[in-house]
Amino acid sequence: MKSDKQTYDERHNQPQRYEIRIKGHLDDRWADWFEGLAITLEEGGYTLLTGPVTDQAALHRLLRKARDLGMVLVSVGPARPGQADAPDVE
């Protein structure tokens, strides 16, 4: 019999696309630092990092990197539909 139940790890450690918005503009040389996430510069002086994140540990590692750079974290969440094919750097 097949079960629809998933373990905690199966639900929370699946690759998922995220959006991380930080205050300040990053140029394209930071793309490798942020593990290949797309960098989009937004009006108002914000940078949106978008892309797949392997699991929760990888998400926390990305957030730690932003913190270590002294960047102000504005928001973090799952990517909205339509953001999946965002360009690498604008």
Side-chain angles (χ1 to χ4, degrees):
M1 179 174 194
K2 195 171 186 177
S3 172
D4 291 334
K5 292 183 178 182
Q6 292 179 310
T7 66
Y8 178 87
D9 284 344
E10 289 172 335
R11 286 190 315 266
H12 294 92
N13 289 321
Q14 295 294 315
Q16 185 173 350
R17 296 189 71 78
Y18 277 92
E19 293 181 342
I20 302 171
R21 183 169 283 108
I22 53 180
K23 189 172 183 179
H25 279 162
L26 293 175
D27 60 37
D28 58 353
R29 68 186 166 113
W30 292 101
D32 287 341
W33 176 258
F34 284 102
E35 302 178 18
L37 295 182
I39 296 175
T40 304
L41 303 182
E42 298 182 323
E43 292 183 22
Y46 297 102
T47 297
L48 181 65
L49 304 170
T50 308
V53 178
T54 308
D55 55 22
Q56 288 292 300
L59 177 61
H60 285 264
R61 187 172 51 249
L62 290 167
L63 297 176
R64 224 176 12 254
K65 287 180 175 183
R67 179 204 63 199
D68 291 349
L69 291 173
M71 307 201 81
V72 175
L73 183 63
V74 176
S75 63
V76 177
R80 292 169 286 157
Q83 292 290 312
D85 297 323
D88 288 343
V89 177
E90 289 184 355

Coordinates of all heavy atoms in Angstrom, one line a residue:
M1 N 0.8 -1.2 0.0 CA 0.0 0.0 0.0 C 0.9 1.2 0.0 O 1.8 1.4 0.8 CB -0.9 0.0 1.2 CG -1.8 1.1 1.3 SD -3.0 0.8 2.7 CE -4.1 2.1 2.4
K2 N 0.6 2.2 -0.9 CA 1.4 3.4 -1.0 C 0.8 4.5 -0.1 O -0.4 4.7 0.0 CB 1.3 3.9 -2.5 CG 2.3 4.9 -2.8 CD 2.3 5.1 -4.3 CE 3.5 6.0 -4.7 NZ 3.5 6.2 -6.1
S3 N 1.7 5.2 0.6 CA 1.3 6.2 1.5 C 1.6 7.6 1.0 O 2.6 7.8 0.3 CB 2.1 6.0 2.8 OG 1.8 7.1 3.7
D4 N 0.7 8.5 1.2 CA 0.9 9.9 0.8 C 1.7 10.7 1.9 O 2.0 11.8 1.6 CB -0.4 10.6 0.6 CG -1.2 10.1 -0.6 OD1 -0.5 9.6 -1.5 OD2 -2.4 10.2 -0.6
K5 N 2.0 10.1 3.0 CA 2.7 10.7 4.0 C 4.2 10.9 3.6 O 4.8 10.0 3.0 CB 2.6 10.0 5.3 CG 1.3 10.0 5.9 CD 1.3 9.3 7.3 CE -0.1 9.4 7.8 NZ -0.2 8.7 9.1
Q6 N 4.7 12.1 4.0 CA 6.1 12.3 3.7 C 6.8 12.6 5.1 O 6.2 13.1 6.0 CB 6.3 13.5 2.8 CG 5.9 13.4 1.4 CD 6.1 14.7 0.7 OE1 5.7 15.7 1.1 NE2 6.7 14.6 -0.5
T7 N 8.0 12.2 5.2 CA 8.8 12.6 6.4 C 9.1 14.1 6.4 O 8.9 14.7 5.4 CB 10.1 11.8 6.4 OG1 10.9 12.3 5.4 CG2 9.9 10.3 6.3
Y8 N 9.5 14.5 7.5 CA 9.8 16.0 7.6 C 10.9 16.3 6.6 O 10.8 17.3 5.9 CB 10.3 16.3 9.1 CG 10.7 17.7 9.2 CD1 9.8 18.7 9.6 CD2 12.1 18.0 9.1 CE1 10.2 20.0 9.7 CE2 12.5 19.4 9.2 CZ 11.5 20.3 9.5 OH 12.0 21.6 9.7
D9 N 11.9 15.5 6.5 CA 13.0 15.7 5.6 C 12.6 15.8 4.2 O 13.0 16.6 3.4 CB 14.1 14.7 5.8 CG 15.0 14.9 7.0 OD1 14.9 16.0 7.6 OD2 15.7 14.0 7.4
E10 N 11.6 14.9 3.8 CA 11.1 14.9 2.4 C 10.4 16.1 2.1 O 10.5 16.6 1.0 CB 10.2 13.7 2.2 CG 11.0 12.3 2.2 CD 10.0 11.2 2.2 OE1 8.9 11.3 2.6 OE2 10.5 10.1 1.7
R11 N 9.7 16.7 3.1 CA 8.9 17.9 2.8 C 9.8 19.2 2.9 O 9.5 20.1 2.1 CB 7.8 18.1 3.9 CG 6.6 17.1 3.7 CD 5.5 17.5 4.6 NE 5.8 17.8 6.0 CZ 5.8 16.9 6.9 NH1 5.4 15.7 6.7 NH2 6.2 17.2 8.2
H12 N 10.8 19.2 3.7 CA 11.5 20.4 4.0 C 12.9 20.4 3.4 O 13.6 21.5 3.4 CB 11.6 20.7 5.5 CG 10.3 21.0 6.1 ND1 9.5 20.0 6.6 CD2 9.6 22.1 6.1 CE1 8.3 20.6 7.0 NE2 8.4 21.8 6.7
N13 N 13.4 19.4 2.8 CA 14.7 19.4 2.2 C 14.7 19.0 0.8 O 15.6 18.4 0.3 CB 15.6 18.4 3.0 CG 15.9 19.0 4.4 OD1 16.2 20.2 4.5 ND2 15.9 18.2 5.4
Q14 N 13.7 19.4 0.1 CA 13.6 19.3 -1.4 C 14.1 20.6 -2.1 O 13.9 21.7 -1.5 CB 12.2 19.0 -1.8 CG 11.6 17.8 -1.3 CD 12.2 16.6 -1.9 OE1 12.5 16.5 -3.1 NE2 12.6 15.6 -1.1
P15 N 14.8 20.4 -3.2 CA 15.2 21.7 -3.9 C 14.0 22.5 -4.2 O 12.9 22.0 -4.6 CB 15.9 21.1 -5.2 CG 16.2 19.7 -4.9 CD 15.2 19.2 -3.9
Q16 N 14.1 23.8 -4.0 CA 13.0 24.7 -4.3 C 13.6 26.0 -4.7 O 14.7 26.4 -4.3 CB 12.2 24.9 -3.0 CG 11.0 25.8 -3.2 CD 10.2 25.8 -1.9 OE1 10.4 25.1 -1.0 NE2 9.2 26.7 -1.9
R17 N 12.9 26.8 -5.5 CA 13.3 28.1 -6.0 C 13.0 29.1 -4.9 O 11.9 29.1 -4.4 CB 12.7 28.4 -7.3 CG 13.1 27.5 -8.4 CD 12.7 28.0 -9.8 NE 13.4 29.2 -10.2 CZ 14.6 29.1 -10.7 NH1 15.3 28.0 -10.8 NH2 15.2 30.3 -11.1
Y18 N 14.0 30.0 -4.6 CA 13.7 31.0 -3.6 C 14.0 32.4 -4.2 O 14.8 32.5 -5.1 CB 14.7 30.8 -2.4 CG 14.1 29.8 -1.4 CD1 14.5 28.4 -1.5 CD2 13.3 30.2 -0.4 CE1 14.0 27.5 -0.6 CE2 12.8 29.2 0.5 CZ 13.1 27.9 0.4 OH 12.6 27.0 1.3
E19 N 13.5 33.4 -3.5 CA 13.8 34.8 -3.7 C 14.4 35.3 -2.5 O 13.8 35.2 -1.4 CB 12.5 35.6 -4.1 CG 11.9 35.2 -5.4 CD 10.6 36.1 -5.6 OE1 10.1 36.7 -4.7 OE2 10.2 36.1 -6.8
I20 N 15.5 35.9 -2.6 CA 16.1 36.6 -1.4 C 16.3 38.1 -1.8 O 17.1 38.4 -2.8 CB 17.5 35.9 -1.1 CG1 17.3 34.5 -0.8 CG2 18.1 36.7 0.1 CD1 18.6 33.7 -0.6
R21 N 15.7 39.0 -1.1 CA 15.8 40.4 -1.4 C 16.7 41.1 -0.4 O 16.4 40.9 0.8 CB 14.4 41.0 -1.5 CG 14.5 42.5 -1.9 CD 13.1 43.0 -2.2 NE 12.6 42.6 -3.5 CZ 11.7 41.7 -3.7 NH1 11.0 41.1 -2.8 NH2 11.4 41.3 -5.0
I22 N 17.7 41.8 -0.8 CA 18.6 42.5 0.1 C 18.7 43.9 -0.3 O 18.4 44.3 -1.5 CB 20.0 41.8 0.1 CG1 20.5 41.7 -1.3 CG2 20.0 40.5 0.7 CD1 21.9 41.1 -1.4
K23 N 19.0 44.8 0.7 CA 19.1 46.2 0.4 C 20.5 46.4 -0.2 O 21.5 45.9 0.3 CB 18.9 47.0 1.7 CG 18.8 48.5 1.4 CD 18.4 49.2 2.7 CE 18.2 50.7 2.4 NZ 17.8 51.4 3.6
G24 N 20.6 47.2 -1.2 CA 21.8 47.5 -1.9 C 21.9 46.8 -3.2 O 21.2 45.8 -3.4
H25 N 22.8 47.2 -4.1 CA 22.9 46.6 -5.4 C 24.2 45.8 -5.4 O 25.3 46.3 -4.9 CB 23.0 47.7 -6.5 CG 21.7 48.1 -6.9 ND1 21.5 49.3 -7.6 CD2 20.4 47.6 -6.7 CE1 20.2 49.4 -7.8 NE2 19.5 48.4 -7.3
L26 N 24.1 44.6 -5.9 CA 25.3 43.7 -6.2 C 25.6 43.7 -7.6 O 24.6 43.6 -8.4 CB 25.0 42.3 -5.7 CG 24.8 42.0 -4.2 CD1 24.4 40.6 -4.0 CD2 26.1 42.4 -3.5
D27 N 26.8 43.7 -8.0 CA 27.1 43.5 -9.5 C 27.3 42.0 -9.8 O 27.2 41.2 -8.9 CB 28.3 44.4 -9.9 CG 29.6 44.0 -9.2 OD1 29.8 42.8 -8.9 OD2 30.4 44.9 -8.9
D28 N 27.5 41.7 -11.1 CA 27.4 40.3 -11.5 C 28.6 39.5 -10.9 O 28.5 38.3 -11.0 CB 27.4 40.2 -13.0 CG 28.6 40.9 -13.7 OD1 29.3 41.6 -13.0 OD2 28.7 40.8 -14.9
R29 N 29.6 40.1 -10.4 CA 30.8 39.3 -9.9 C 30.4 38.5 -8.6 O 31.1 37.6 -8.2 CB 32.0 40.2 -9.6 CG 31.8 41.1 -8.5 CD 33.0 42.1 -8.4 NE 32.6 43.2 -7.5 CZ 33.2 43.4 -6.3 NH1 34.1 42.6 -5.9 NH2 32.8 44.4 -5.6
W30 N 29.2 38.8 -8.1 CA 28.7 38.1 -6.9 C 27.9 36.9 -7.2 O 27.5 36.1 -6.3 CB 27.9 39.1 -6.0 CG 28.8 40.1 -5.4 CD1 28.9 41.4 -5.8 CD2 29.7 40.0 -4.3 NE1 29.8 42.1 -5.0 CE2 30.3 41.3 -4.1 CE3 30.0 39.0 -3.4 CZ2 31.2 41.5 -3.1 CZ3 30.9 39.2 -2.4 CH2 31.5 40.4 -2.3
A31 N 27.6 36.6 -8.4 CA 26.8 35.5 -8.8 C 27.4 34.2 -8.3 O 26.7 33.3 -7.8 CB 26.6 35.4 -10.3
D32 N 28.7 34.0 -8.5 CA 29.4 32.8 -8.0 C 29.3 32.7 -6.5 O 29.1 31.6 -6.0 CB 30.8 32.7 -8.5 CG 30.9 32.4 -10.0 OD1 30.0 31.9 -10.6 OD2 32.0 32.7 -10.6
W33 N 29.5 33.8 -5.8 CA 29.5 33.8 -4.4 C 28.2 33.3 -3.9 O 28.1 32.6 -2.9 CB 29.8 35.3 -3.9 CG 29.7 35.4 -2.4 CD1 28.7 36.0 -1.7 CD2 30.7 35.1 -1.4 NE1 29.0 36.0 -0.4 CE2 30.2 35.5 -0.2 CE3 32.0 34.5 -1.5 CZ2 30.9 35.2 1.0 CZ3 32.7 34.3 -0.3 CH2 32.1 34.6 0.9
F34 N 27.1 33.7 -4.6 CA 25.7 33.3 -4.2 C 25.3 32.0 -4.9 O 24.1 31.9 -5.2 CB 24.8 34.4 -4.3 CG 24.9 35.4 -3.2 CD1 25.6 36.6 -3.4 CD2 24.4 35.2 -1.9 CE1 25.7 37.6 -2.4 CE2 24.6 36.1 -0.9 CZ 25.2 37.3 -1.1
E35 N 26.3 31.2 -5.2 CA 26.0 29.8 -5.7 C 25.2 29.8 -7.0 O 24.3 28.9 -7.2 CB 25.4 29.0 -4.6 CG 26.3 28.9 -3.4 CD 25.8 28.1 -2.3 OE1 24.9 27.3 -2.4 OE2 26.3 28.3 -1.1
G36 N 25.4 30.8 -7.9 CA 24.7 30.8 -9.2 C 23.3 31.3 -9.2 O 22.7 31.2 -10.3
L37 N 22.8 31.9 -8.1 CA 21.5 32.5 -8.2 C 21.5 33.7 -9.1 O 22.5 34.4 -9.3 CB 21.1 33.0 -6.8 CG 20.9 32.0 -5.7 CD1 20.5 32.6 -4.4 CD2 19.9 30.9 -6.1
A38 N 20.4 33.9 -9.8 CA 20.2 35.0 -10.7 C 20.2 36.3 -9.9 O 19.6 36.4 -8.8 CB 18.9 34.9 -11.5
I39 N 20.9 37.3 -10.3 CA 20.9 38.6 -9.7 C 20.2 39.6 -10.5 O 20.5 39.8 -11.7 CB 22.4 39.1 -9.5 CG1 23.2 38.1 -8.6 CG2 22.4 40.5 -9.0 CD1 24.7 38.5 -8.5
T40 N 19.1 40.2 -9.9 CA 18.3 41.2 -10.5 C 18.4 42.5 -9.7 O 18.0 42.4 -8.5 CB 16.9 40.7 -10.7 OG1 16.8 39.5 -11.4 CG2 16.0 41.7 -11.4
L41 N 18.8 43.6 -10.3 CA 18.8 44.8 -9.6 C 17.4 45.5 -9.7 O 16.8 45.5 -10.8 CB 19.8 45.8 -10.2 CG 21.3 45.2 -10.3 CD1 22.2 46.2 -10.8 CD2 21.7 44.8 -8.9
E42 N 16.9 45.9 -8.6 CA 15.5 46.5 -8.6 C 15.6 48.0 -8.2 O 16.6 48.4 -7.6 CB 14.7 45.8 -7.5 CG 14.5 44.3 -7.8 CD 13.6 43.7 -6.7 OE1 13.7 44.0 -5.6 OE2 12.8 42.8 -7.1
E43 N 14.5 48.7 -8.6 CA 14.4 50.1 -8.2 C 14.4 50.2 -6.7 O 14.0 49.3 -6.0 CB 13.1 50.7 -8.8 CG 13.2 50.8 -10.3 CD 11.9 51.4 -10.9 OE1 11.2 52.1 -10.2 OE2 11.6 51.2 -12.1
G44 N 14.8 51.3 -6.3 CA 14.8 51.5 -4.8 C 16.1 51.0 -4.2 O 16.2 51.1 -2.9
G45 N 17.0 50.5 -5.0 CA 18.3 50.1 -4.4 C 18.3 48.7 -3.8 O 19.1 48.4 -2.9
Y46 N 17.4 47.8 -4.3 CA 17.4 46.5 -3.9 C 18.0 45.5 -4.9 O 18.0 45.8 -6.1 CB 15.9 46.1 -3.6 CG 15.3 46.9 -2.5 CD1 14.4 47.9 -2.8 CD2 15.6 46.7 -1.2 CE1 13.9 48.7 -1.8 CE2 15.0 47.5 -0.2 CZ 14.2 48.5 -0.5 OH 13.6 49.3 0.5
T47 N 18.4 44.4 -4.4 CA 18.9 43.3 -5.3 C 18.0 42.1 -4.9 O 17.8 41.7 -3.8 CB 20.4 42.9 -5.0 OG1 21.2 44.1 -5.3 CG2 20.8 41.8 -5.8
L48 N 17.6 41.4 -6.0 CA 16.8 40.2 -5.8 C 17.6 39.0 -6.3 O 18.1 39.0 -7.5 CB 15.5 40.2 -6.7 CG 14.6 39.0 -6.6 CD1 14.0 38.9 -5.1 CD2 13.4 39.2 -7.5
L49 N 17.9 38.1 -5.4 CA 18.6 36.8 -5.8 C 17.5 35.8 -6.0 O 16.7 35.5 -5.1 CB 19.6 36.4 -4.7 CG 20.6 37.5 -4.3 CD1 21.3 37.1 -3.0 CD2 21.6 37.7 -5.4
T50 N 17.6 35.1 -7.1 CA 16.5 34.1 -7.4 C 17.2 32.8 -8.0 O 18.0 32.9 -8.8 CB 15.5 34.6 -8.4 OG1 15.0 35.9 -8.0 CG2 14.3 33.7 -8.6
G51 N 16.7 31.7 -7.5 CA 17.2 30.4 -8.1 C 16.9 29.2 -7.2 O 16.4 29.4 -6.1
P52 N 17.3 28.1 -7.7 CA 17.1 26.9 -6.9 C 18.1 26.8 -5.7 O 19.2 27.2 -5.8 CB 17.4 25.8 -7.9 CG 18.3 26.4 -8.9 CD 18.0 27.8 -9.0
V53 N 17.5 26.3 -4.7 CA 18.3 26.1 -3.4 C 18.1 24.6 -3.1 O 16.9 24.2 -3.0 CB 17.8 27.0 -2.3 CG1 18.6 26.8 -1.0 CG2 18.0 28.5 -2.7
T54 N 19.2 24.0 -2.9 CA 19.2 22.5 -2.7 C 18.3 22.1 -1.5 O 17.5 21.2 -1.6 CB 20.6 22.0 -2.5 OG1 21.4 22.4 -3.6 CG2 20.6 20.4 -2.5
D55 N 18.5 22.7 -0.4 CA 17.8 22.3 0.8 C 17.9 23.5 1.9 O 18.5 24.5 1.6 CB 18.3 21.0 1.4 CG 19.8 21.1 1.7 OD1 20.4 22.2 1.8 OD2 20.5 20.0 1.7
Q56 N 17.4 23.2 3.0 CA 17.4 24.3 4.1 C 18.8 24.6 4.5 O 19.0 25.8 4.8 CB 16.5 23.8 5.3 CG 15.0 23.8 5.0 CD 14.5 25.2 4.8 OE1 14.6 26.0 5.7 NE2 13.9 25.5 3.6
A57 N 19.7 23.7 4.5 CA 21.0 24.0 4.9 C 21.7 25.0 3.9 O 22.4 25.9 4.3 CB 21.9 22.7 5.0
A58 N 21.4 24.7 2.6 CA 21.9 25.6 1.6 C 21.3 27.0 1.7 O 22.0 28.0 1.5 CB 21.7 25.0 0.2
L59 N 20.0 27.1 2.0 CA 19.4 28.4 2.2 C 20.0 29.2 3.3 O 20.3 30.3 3.2 CB 17.9 28.2 2.4 CG 17.1 29.5 2.7 CD1 17.2 30.4 1.5 CD2 15.6 29.1 3.0
H60 N 20.3 28.5 4.4 CA 20.9 29.2 5.6 C 22.3 29.6 5.2 O 22.8 30.7 5.7 CB 20.9 28.2 6.8 CG 19.5 28.2 7.4 ND1 19.1 28.9 8.5 CD2 18.4 27.4 7.1 CE1 17.9 28.7 8.8 NE2 17.4 27.7 8.0
R61 N 23.0 28.8 4.4 CA 24.4 29.2 4.0 C 24.3 30.5 3.2 O 25.2 31.4 3.4 CB 25.0 28.0 3.2 CG 26.4 28.2 2.9 CD 27.1 27.0 2.3 NE 26.4 26.4 1.1 CZ 25.7 25.2 1.1 NH1 25.7 24.5 2.2 NH2 25.1 24.8 0.1
L62 N 23.4 30.6 2.3 CA 23.2 31.8 1.5 C 22.9 33.0 2.3 O 23.4 34.1 2.2 CB 22.1 31.6 0.4 CG 22.4 30.6 -0.7 CD1 21.2 30.3 -1.5 CD2 23.5 31.2 -1.6
L63 N 22.0 32.8 3.3 CA 21.7 33.9 4.2 C 22.9 34.3 5.1 O 23.1 35.5 5.3 CB 20.5 33.5 5.1 CG 19.2 33.2 4.4 CD1 18.1 32.7 5.3 CD2 18.7 34.4 3.6
R64 N 23.7 33.4 5.5 CA 24.9 33.7 6.2 C 25.9 34.5 5.4 O 26.5 35.4 5.9 CB 25.5 32.4 6.7 CG 26.0 32.4 8.1 CD 26.6 31.1 8.6 NE 26.9 30.1 7.7 CZ 26.2 28.9 7.5 NH1 25.1 28.7 8.2 NH2 26.5 28.0 6.6
K65 N 25.9 34.2 4.1 CA 26.8 35.0 3.2 C 26.4 36.4 3.1 O 27.2 37.3 3.1 CB 26.9 34.3 1.8 CG 27.6 33.0 1.8 CD 27.6 32.4 0.4 CE 28.5 31.2 0.3 NZ 28.6 30.7 -1.1
A66 N 25.1 36.6 3.0 CA 24.6 38.0 2.9 C 24.9 38.7 4.2 O 25.3 39.9 4.2 CB 23.1 38.0 2.6
R67 N 24.7 38.0 5.3 CA 25.0 38.6 6.6 C 26.5 39.0 6.7 O 26.8 40.0 7.2 CB 24.6 37.7 7.7 CG 24.9 38.2 9.1 CD 25.1 37.1 10.2 NE 26.3 36.3 9.8 CZ 26.5 35.1 10.3 NH1 25.6 34.5 11.1 NH2 27.5 34.4 9.9
D68 N 27.3 38.1 6.3 CA 28.8 38.3 6.4 C 29.2 39.5 5.6 O 30.3 40.1 5.9 CB 29.5 37.0 6.0 CG 29.4 35.9 7.0 OD1 28.8 36.1 8.1 OD2 29.7 34.7 6.6
L69 N 28.5 39.8 4.5 CA 28.8 41.0 3.7 C 28.2 42.2 4.3 O 28.4 43.3 3.8 CB 28.2 40.8 2.3 CG 28.9 39.7 1.4 CD1 28.2 39.5 0.1 CD2 30.4 40.1 1.2
G70 N 27.5 42.1 5.4 CA 26.9 43.2 6.0 C 25.7 43.8 5.3 O 25.3 44.9 5.5
M71 N 25.1 42.9 4.5 CA 23.9 43.3 3.7 C 22.6 43.2 4.6 O 22.5 42.3 5.4 CB 23.8 42.5 2.4 CG 25.1 42.5 1.6 SD 24.9 42.1 0.0 CE 24.3 43.6 -0.7
V72 N 21.7 44.1 4.3 CA 20.4 44.1 5.0 C 19.5 43.2 4.3 O 19.2 43.4 3.1 CB 19.9 45.6 5.1 CG1 18.5 45.5 5.8 CG2 20.8 46.5 5.9
L73 N 19.0 42.2 5.0 CA 18.0 41.2 4.4 C 16.7 41.9 4.5 O 16.2 42.3 5.6 CB 18.1 39.9 5.2 CG 17.2 38.8 4.8 CD1 17.7 38.3 3.4 CD2 17.3 37.7 5.8
V74 N 16.0 41.9 3.4 CA 14.6 42.5 3.3 C 13.6 41.4 3.3 O 12.6 41.5 4.1 CB 14.5 43.4 2.0 CG1 13.1 43.9 1.9 CG2 15.5 44.5 2.1
S75 N 13.7 40.4 2.5 CA 12.7 39.3 2.5 C 13.4 38.0 2.0 O 14.3 38.0 1.2 CB 11.5 39.7 1.7 OG 11.9 39.9 0.3
V76 N 12.8 36.9 2.4 CA 13.2 35.6 1.9 C 11.9 34.8 1.7 O 11.0 34.8 2.6 CB 14.1 34.9 2.9 CG1 14.4 33.5 2.4 CG2 15.3 35.6 3.1
G77 N 11.7 34.1 0.6 CA 10.6 33.2 0.4 C 10.7 32.4 -0.8 O 11.6 32.6 -1.6
P78 N 9.7 31.5 -1.0 CA 9.7 30.7 -2.2 C 9.5 31.7 -3.4 O 8.8 32.7 -3.3 CB 8.5 29.8 -2.0 CG 8.2 29.9 -0.6 CD 8.7 31.2 -0.1
A79 N 10.1 31.3 -4.6 CA 10.0 32.2 -5.8 C 8.6 32.1 -6.3 O 7.9 31.0 -6.2 CB 11.0 31.7 -6.8
R80 N 8.1 33.2 -6.8 CA 6.8 33.3 -7.4 C 6.8 32.6 -8.7 O 7.8 32.6 -9.4 CB 6.3 34.7 -7.5 CG 6.1 35.4 -6.2 CD 5.9 36.9 -6.4 NE 7.3 37.4 -6.7 CZ 7.5 38.5 -7.3 NH1 6.5 39.3 -7.7 NH2 8.7 39.0 -7.5
P81 N 5.7 32.0 -9.2 CA 5.6 31.5 -10.5 C 6.0 32.5 -11.5 O 5.6 33.7 -11.4 CB 4.2 31.1 -10.7 CG 3.7 30.9 -9.3 CD 4.4 31.8 -8.5
G82 N 6.7 32.2 -12.6 CA 7.2 33.1 -13.6 C 8.5 33.6 -13.3 O 9.2 34.2 -14.2
Q83 N 9.1 33.4 -12.1 CA 10.4 33.9 -11.8 C 11.4 32.8 -12.1 O 12.6 33.1 -12.0 CB 10.5 34.2 -10.3 CG 9.7 35.4 -9.9 CD 10.3 36.7 -10.4 OE1 11.5 36.9 -10.3 NE2 9.5 37.5 -11.0
A84 N 11.0 31.6 -12.5 CA 11.9 30.5 -12.7 C 12.9 30.7 -13.8 O 14.0 30.2 -13.8 CB 11.1 29.2 -13.0
D85 N 12.5 31.5 -14.8 CA 13.4 31.7 -16.0 C 14.0 33.1 -16.0 O 14.3 33.6 -17.0 CB 12.6 31.5 -17.3 CG 12.1 30.0 -17.4 OD1 12.9 29.1 -16.9 OD2 11.0 29.8 -17.9
A86 N 14.2 33.6 -14.8 CA 14.8 35.0 -14.7 C 16.2 34.9 -15.3 O 16.9 34.0 -15.2 CB 14.8 35.4 -13.3
P87 N 16.6 36.0 -15.9 CA 18.0 36.1 -16.4 C 19.0 36.0 -15.3 O 18.7 36.3 -14.1 CB 18.1 37.5 -17.1 CG 16.9 38.3 -16.5 CD 15.9 37.3 -16.1
D88 N 20.2 35.7 -15.6 CA 21.3 35.5 -14.6 C 21.6 36.9 -13.9 O 21.7 37.0 -12.8 CB 22.5 34.9 -15.2 CG 22.4 33.5 -15.5 OD1 21.4 32.9 -15.0 OD2 23.2 32.9 -16.3
V89 N 21.8 37.9 -14.8 CA 22.1 39.2 -14.2 C 21.5 40.3 -15.1 O 21.5 40.2 -16.3 CB 23.7 39.4 -14.2 CG1 24.0 40.8 -13.7 CG2 24.4 38.4 -13.4
E90 N 20.9 41.2 -14.5 CA 20.3 42.3 -15.3 C 21.1 43.6 -14.9 O 21.5 43.8 -13.8 CB 18.8 42.5 -14.9 CG 18.0 41.4 -15.5 CD 16.5 41.7 -15.2 OE1 16.2 42.6 -14.6 OE2 15.7 40.9 -15.7

